[in-house]
Amino acid sequence: MHNLTQNRELADLLFPDIQKTPEYYELLYPKRQLEEGAKVTRFAPSPTGYVHMGSLYASLVSERLAHQSNGVFFLRVEDTDKKREVEGGVSNIIRALSRFGISFDEGVTDVDDEKGSYGPYKQSERMGIYKAFAKHMVEKGFAYPCFCSEEELNKIRSRQEENKITPGYYGEYAVHRNFTLEQVKEELSRGKPFVLRVKVPNNPEGRFVFKDLIKGDVEMPENFQDIVLLKSDGLPTYHFAHVVDDHLMRTTHVIRGDEWLSSAPLHVQLFEMLEWEKPYFAHISPIMKMEGSSKRKLSKRKDPEADVSFYHEQGFPSISVIEYLVNLINSNFEDWRRDNPGSPNTSFKIELERMSVSGAMFDIVKLTDMSKDIVARMTAEEVYDMSLEWAEEYDSELWALLSKDEQYAKGIFSIDRGGEKPRKDIAKWSDVKPYIFYFFDELFERDVAEGYNFPDTIPADEVKRLIREYAKVYNHSDNKDMWFDRVKEFCEAMGYSKNVKAFKKNPGAYKGHVGDVAGVIRVAVTNRRNTPDLYEIMQVMGEKKVIERFNKVINR
Ligand code: GLU
């Protein structure tokens, strides 16, 4: 029905205030001057404030692809659904990501701030742009107003359900698709609200084939539904905003969750109608986890570890979480890490083609183990600084203890660190306090108040006797070998075997062996049966504290 002039008239009628043309915007946002192969990617969250592990994962993929190709990574806030917006949501997202070292070259930087010349980067500030392109679509005969009320749409759906055919607005059911200009004018004059719909070929048999950079070749039904582009309040749908924004912001790679895969045929149609170069698409499968013997999606509702703030609260170093995620992105990272133990993980080149199609399997135990390795390779200074920073926010008692005597605290963190086989006791900063508590009297007292952990096989009197006699021979200035020789000598004097083998051969001849004696000394000093090197512990504690610990047992 519509010829060119009629389309123009319709466009002016629907968008009387829109003067800017697509050409204007093309000039305003020119093609980016980047080196060949540079990728432009984005993270495009709704400002709900909540950051799911899957979002961190997707943003990491986008960030790495951009930066390893000397491209651009930007943050676009998709805030057209005001119902989902949470106060402070934008700042929360930015803070959460920056804690993991994810930073943007362009885009929203704070509630009212942004950087870059392809903005505004907040969709709510791009209304004029969407309308200009909506108007253009109408002019070209690719979009039309639909005046159907909710009730009318429901009726259409019931009819379709009765006839057992695909529900939706298309073909003969798209009642306003072929309205004449006069009919539209009449509806408008009655003040009827309208949505703007795309006019796509009605081809239910059509197939859509495309290459997804993660999923490979995908074949789906072609879109034949006249989907809404602008809602009745004038706000764009995700579909329309995505196409307009990613074109004007010159995104080369759209990397997003695979809940959008089924709309890709529509998005590609829109790119084609607008005669725009299509970006590459990569649809990420959701992160999975095992529950019993079955797999399910990592869930915001069920899994605390799905929320990225969990890692901050628990004190997982960001680098551990990032390394774990890089390993989830491409499993060959693990081999790379083995071959390049000292390199920053940014030197590892990620590849979309190697990502899991069925969904990466998340495992907090593995993350924890990786983190133990990473913390074990840190210096005592790094461990001190990071745990202090964590404690400042989450554990004021620990913070006070660590900051009271920095040298002492660093001495503690130096034990069994730096050698060939460093101990792997700390995965996260909340592990620090239970790990080092016995170095601090107030924490030690609290622990001992619940009872000493001396081995059950040694009677209380014998424990006292051992410690009383050991305190007499203990010499704080012994070096490590002298110290151990002295412990062995002491064993013999007390009726214990100085070596375990001899004891096992003839257990009746001894009260026990050196392990038992050292165990008693260890518990007296730390109230733990398993600790790092006992000699080092006593050296760091200092003579006074060691003697006090002995006396406490003796005077029980
Ligand atoms: N705002 C969309 C979402 O939250 C972004 C999807 C995309 O990256 O295009 O899922």
Side-chain angles (χ1 to χ4, degrees):
M1 61 120 197
H2 293 138
N3 60 32
L4 204 62
T5 19
Q6 276 187 331
N7 286 342
R8 286 236 167 91
E9 199 181 331
L10 177 59
D12 282 331
L13 203 60
L14 297 175
F15 302 101
D17 305 329
I18 298 299
Q19 310 298 342
K20 298 212 167 84
T21 61
E23 292 73 34
Y24 167 84
Y25 290 110
E26 291 296 331
L27 284 175
L28 188 61
Y29 307 114
K31 218 172 142 72
R32 292 170 184 268
Q33 298 299 312
L34 295 169
E35 67 187 59
E36 171 111 22
K39 297 182 172 74
V40 179
T41 62
R42 81 292 191 282
F43 180 49
S46 300
T48 58
Y50 177 85
V51 185
H52 189 279
M53 205 50 173
S55 301
L56 176 62
Y57 181 66
S59 66
L60 182 63
V61 173
S62 298
E63 188 265 347
R64 289 288 156 102
L65 285 180
H67 291 154
Q68 72 192 27
S69 65
N70 292 327
V72 175
F73 176 51
F74 67 85
L75 176 64
R76 178 171 72 226
V77 172
E78 308 214 321
D79 59 346
T80 57
D81 184 356
K82 290 292 166 191
K83 282 196 294 289
R84 295 186 62 202
E85 186 153 356
V86 165
E87 205 180 311
V90 175
S91 332
N92 272 346
I93 291 172
I94 295 173
R95 189 168 346 107
L97 293 180
S98 80
R99 276 177 185 154
F100 290 103
I102 297 197
S103 62
F104 298 94
D105 307 300
E106 277 178 22
V108 176
T109 54
D110 208 340
V111 192
D112 287 316
D113 233 343
E114 59 175 42
K115 60 180 179 185
S117 31
Y118 287 79
Y121 294 90
K122 247 192 211 167
Q123 289 185 332
S124 58
E125 290 166 15
R126 299 174 64 79
M127 290 308 145
I129 301 177
Y130 303 126
K131 288 199 173 139
F133 286 95
K135 187 171 184 177
H136 176 68
M137 296 276 286
V138 176
E139 278 172 0
K140 290 181 70 170
F142 288 148
Y144 63 93
C146 161
F147 297 92
C148 280
S149 63
E150 198 64 37
E151 211 188 329
E152 286 164 303
L153 292 176
N154 286 341
K155 266 194 208 141
I156 294 175
R157 194 171 321 115
S158 314
R159 242 169 66 211
Q160 290 165 328
E161 273 162 15
E162 259 165 45
N163 299 333
K164 296 197 168 43
I165 53 170
T166 315
Y169 206 81
Y170 63 92
E172 59 182 290
Y173 301 97
V175 283
H176 294 147
R177 185 175 158 121
N178 295 317
F179 253 29
T180 63
L181 190 54
E182 293 319 309
Q183 285 174 304
V184 171
K185 279 184 183 165
E186 201 181 309
E187 298 290 325
L188 288 177
S189 69
R190 282 198 259 148
K192 265 228 184 154
F194 66 89
V195 300
L196 194 76
R197 288 183 183 273
V198 62
K199 188 186 276 184
V200 295
N202 178 21
N203 184 16
E205 307 305 312
R207 302 299 291 170
F208 169 83
V209 201
F210 100 130
K211 187 173 167 56
D212 184 274
L213 294 186
I214 296 173
K215 309 231 178 218
D217 292 326
V218 191
E219 201 189 319
M220 282 183 277
E222 189 178 298
N223 171 54
F224 58 88
Q225 305 256 5
D226 287 358
I227 296 291
V228 174
L229 302 178
L230 294 184
K231 296 176 265 188
S232 56
D233 54 9
L235 295 176
T237 54
Y238 167 77
H239 310 298
F240 192 50
H242 144 58
V243 172
V244 170
D245 291 347
D246 281 318
H247 170 67
L248 293 180
M249 295 176 180
R250 309 291 173 178
T251 305
T252 63
H253 289 65
V254 171
I255 298 159
R256 60 186 177 186
D258 71 358
E259 68 272 25
W260 297 112
L261 181 63
S262 60
S263 332
L266 163 67
H267 301 155
V268 170
Q269 266 173 345
L270 293 173
F271 275 103
E272 284 172 353
M273 286 176 166
L274 287 157
E275 295 177 56
W276 289 340
E277 197 180 325
K278 281 166 286 206
Y280 291 100
F281 287 94
H283 289 93
I284 301 182
S285 309
I287 294 184
M288 309 297 285
K289 107 172 216 175
M290 289 307 286
E291 188 170 69
S293 55
S294 53
K295 272 200 216 178
R296 63 162 174 81
K297 284 186 203 172
L298 187 65
S299 137
K300 171 175 176 174
R301 206 163 40 82
K302 295 188 197 151
D303 307 311
E305 75 271 27
D307 182 347
V308 300
S309 63
F310 168 83
Y311 301 89
H312 188 68
E313 284 159 20
Q314 294 281 312
F316 279 96
S318 303
I319 184 164
S320 305
V321 178
I322 292 297
E323 289 241 346
Y324 180 68
L325 289 182
V326 174
N327 151 82
L328 277 193
I329 293 170
N330 285 167
S331 57
N332 55 321
F333 173 74
E334 234 166 333
D335 291 338
W336 179 90
R337 178 43 91 209
R338 215 169 294 124
D339 299 339
N340 302 273
S343 307
N345 62 53
T346 42
S347 305
F348 174 77
K349 297 265 178 287
I350 67 159
E351 292 169 74
L352 288 172
E353 296 72 16
R354 283 180 184 268
M355 286 182 71
S356 164
V357 175
S358 56
M361 192 60 80
F362 188 84
D363 180 0
I364 187 84
V365 176
K366 173 139 193 212
L367 192 164
T368 304
D369 285 344
M370 271 178 79
S371 193
K372 283 181 181 167
D373 283 337
I374 289 171
V375 175
R377 285 198 306 269
M378 290 179 179
T379 63
E381 276 75 21
E382 286 170 325
V383 173
Y384 176 79
D385 291 344
M386 290 188 212
S387 46
L388 187 70
E389 191 184 330
W390 175 83
E392 186 169 11
E393 193 169 350
Y394 294 105
D395 188 340
S396 51
E397 185 181 43
L398 179 65
W399 182 83
L401 293 170
L402 291 178
S403 41
K404 194 166 69 190
D405 187 345
E406 185 175 332
Q407 281 326 307
Y408 184 55
K410 286 184 179 169
I412 296 169
F413 290 131
S414 302
I415 297 172
D416 284 351
R417 183 171 293 279
E420 287 271 289
K421 276 201 171 162
R423 277 183 76 97
K424 297 174 182 173
D425 302 272
I426 302 174
K428 50 192 192 294
W429 308 128
S430 51
D431 294 338
V432 164
K433 198 187 207 170
Y435 178 59
I436 67 169
F437 79 93
Y438 48 78
F439 285 96
F440 301 96
D441 291 335
E442 40 279 73
L443 301 183
F444 181 77
E445 293 295 334
R446 212 188 292 158
D447 196 70
V448 165
E450 315 247 297
Y452 272 105
N453 291 308
F454 289 111
D456 311 322
T457 48
I458 304 180
D461 283 355
E462 178 64 0
V463 164
K464 261 192 194 185
R465 183 181 79 101
L466 284 171
I467 295 300
R468 189 177 56 236
E469 297 308 315
Y470 182 66
K472 291 180 191 160
V473 299
Y474 178 71
N475 185 345
H476 194 70
S477 49
D478 280 350
N479 68 24
K480 190 164 176 179
D481 289 341
M482 287 156 69
W483 170 79
F484 197 49
D485 287 345
R486 202 186 293 278
V487 170
K488 286 191 281 195
E489 235 169 71
F490 172 70
C491 284
E492 287 185 325
M494 302 301 285
Y496 289 73
S497 161
K498 67 176 177 186
N499 89 48
V500 182
K501 250 198 212 143
F503 170 78
K504 284 196 173 147
K505 243 187 217 157
N506 194 2
Y510 306 99
K511 294 186 120 173
H513 59 73
V514 61
D516 299 320
V517 174
V520 168
I521 304 171
R522 190 185 305 276
V523 172
V525 174
T526 68
N527 204 22
R528 284 293 173 271
R529 293 185 191 175
N530 181 0
T531 68
D533 190 280
L534 181 57
Y535 172 78
E536 296 292 340
I537 289 174
M538 296 197 288
Q539 287 299 307
V540 169
M541 273 185 179
E543 183 166 18
K544 183 168 163 279
K545 203 185 289 298
V546 172
I547 301 297
E548 280 167 12
R549 297 279 160 99
F550 292 156
N551 286 339
K552 190 170 170 70
V553 175
I554 297 165
N555 300 326
R556 264 170 96 198

